[in-house]
Amino acid sequence: MPRPVLVLKFGTASITQSTGELNEPVLVDIARQVAALRDQYNVVLVSSGAVGAGKSALRDYRGEISQRKAAAAVGNLLLLNVYSRFFAVYGVTIAQSLCERHHFANRDQFLQLKDTYEALWESGIIPIVNENDVVSSRELKFSDNDELATLLAVGFGAEVLMLCTSVGGLLDANNQLIRHVPSLDESVFGVVRTDKSSLGLGGMASKLTFAKLAARMGIRVVIFGLAEPNSIAGALKGEVGTQIDPQPTTLSARNRWLASGSLAVGQVRVDAGAVAALQRRSSLLAVGIREILGDFSAGEVIELIDEAGTAVAVAQARLSAAALTNLSSRQNVEVAHANDIVLL
Ligand SMILES: Nc1ncnc2c1ncn2[C@@H]1O[C@H](COP(=O)(O)OP(=O)(O)O)[C@@H](O)[C@H]1O
Ligand SMILES: N[C@@H](CCC(=O)OP(=O)(O)O)C(=O)O
């Protein structure tokens, strides 16, 4: 039996001090706790903290985009060096994996990543992942490492996605920990404020957004903190942090991919009749299309939005944007087959 995959993400606020410097005692403890999970899980550790760790090396750091990239270039080295030293104490070798968003657009390319991780896991090595900030452009970035961790969890069909937070979990309006969220509906999002740590990108709003996606794809999510001893094992057992239940899903691995990991390169606005047809699991026909937004080729992934602009589905387009625009007749032209459409 292959071991289940566990994706574990640590944000800047959890592993650095307020100055940005790496919090070594916390990292030693993470290494101890994660090393103990290796026999049970194939672990992917997603770690932020590079910008914080590297920024003091830059003269007159003001947090501009180019300076953040430069800080990440310095800081990733420091971060991995510290992880490498601390994991070595527990006999674990680590590997570095820097990911870019476009690697996730093409499923074949993404599966190469999985191949590599499997080779690492076979030798007991833990991959440590961060966004490749040095080259990531503003348009093509992951929104943050919560998204990167989620896309890895969905792509690998992980059993559990664990998002570490500096505040111990999801808190209610009285700052009390919410222990169990059976389903992430709007009322749950209502407790989230928009504050986040100064060096990180995410915060709780981002964690919940991606937790919702992962749960919809059948993955159990835990948002937890490191305040208690052995909190990672505790969170896995459901005793620490906020537990978010996975939703039942019948989507195939490929369609889960379509709905989450792929990059939608364009959008198509569809009318109310087409929305109703999609909900009946019909194919999308050209007659229901109101507007084509962006440029896409046949075979690429597009988002289907309703008249109000809300995304209702993602689909693999059979026709390019240009071919769709130039249709002489829109009767009986299939734009996306039902099997290639995933409702959101
Ligand atoms: N309802 C909430 N429960 C917990 N944290 C919340 C809530 N609303 C907003 N937050 C904020 O979200 C942030 C949690 O993200 P944090 O773990 O610090 O960042 P990251 O891991 O992305 O660096 C904190 O700044 C916290 O104050
Ligand atoms: N890639 C950046 C962190 C980006 C990020 O998502 O930060 P966070 O919100 O703290 O998880 C870094 O290593 O500093």
Side-chain angles (χ1 to χ4, degrees), residues 11-13 165-167 169 171 191-193 195-197 203-204 207:
T12 308
T165 170
S166 54
V167 293
L171 308 178
V191 302
V192 178
R193 305 176 308 273
D195 51 329
K196 61 173 190 65
S197 60
M204 194 53 67
K207 282 177 186 47

Side-chain angles (χ1 to χ4, degrees), residues 274-298:
V275 172
L278 294 175
Q279 276 155 358
R280 290 194 305 272
R281 314 293 306 134
S282 300
S283 299
L284 175 66
L285 302 179
V287 281
I289 291 181
R290 281 253 182 276
E291 195 181 359
I292 297 158
L293 301 150
D295 192 18
F296 50 88
S297 308

Side-chain angles (χ1 to χ4, degrees), residues 174-306:
N174 300 316
N175 274 347
Q176 297 301 304
L177 180 70
I178 301 175
R179 290 206 161 275
H180 182 211
V181 178
S183 163
L184 266 174
D185 54 32
E186 285 314 310
S187 66
V188 182
F189 279 83
V191 302
V192 178
R193 305 176 308 273
T194 51
D195 51 329
K196 61 173 190 65
S197 60
S198 61
L199 289 165
L201 291 175
M204 194 53 67
S206 158
K207 282 177 186 47
L208 281 197
T209 302
F210 293 112
K212 182 172 181 177
L213 171 64
R216 233 184 49 227
M217 300 299 159
I219 298 169
R220 179 183 149 215
V221 183
V222 191
I223 302 177
F224 73 105
L226 290 168
E228 290 157 57
N230 298 318
S231 46
I232 300 180
L236 266 172
K237 280 192 242 152
E239 293 162 0
V240 169
T242 304
Q243 307 283 326
I244 300 163
D245 290 347
Q247 304 301 308
T249 173
T250 50
L251 291 179
S252 65
R254 177 178 167 276
N255 279 356
R256 269 180 265 161
W257 179 258
L258 253 186
S260 61
S262 314
L263 269 187
V265 289
Q267 286 182 320
V268 161
R269 194 186 301 279
V270 300
D271 64 20
V275 172
L278 294 175
Q279 276 155 358
R280 290 194 305 272
R281 314 293 306 134
S282 300
S283 299
L284 175 66
L285 302 179
V287 281
I289 291 181
R290 281 253 182 276
E291 195 181 359
I292 297 158
L293 301 150
D295 192 18
F296 50 88
S297 308
E300 289 190 320
V301 178
I302 54 174
E303 205 170 41
L304 309 183
I305 57 173
D306 65 13

Side-chain angles (χ1 to χ4, degrees), residues 9 11-13 47-52 130-131 133 144-145 200-203:
K9 183 258 174 177
T12 308
S47 179
S48 306
V51 173
N130 196 353
E131 174 160 17
D133 295 298
D144 57 48
N145 274 341
L201 291 175

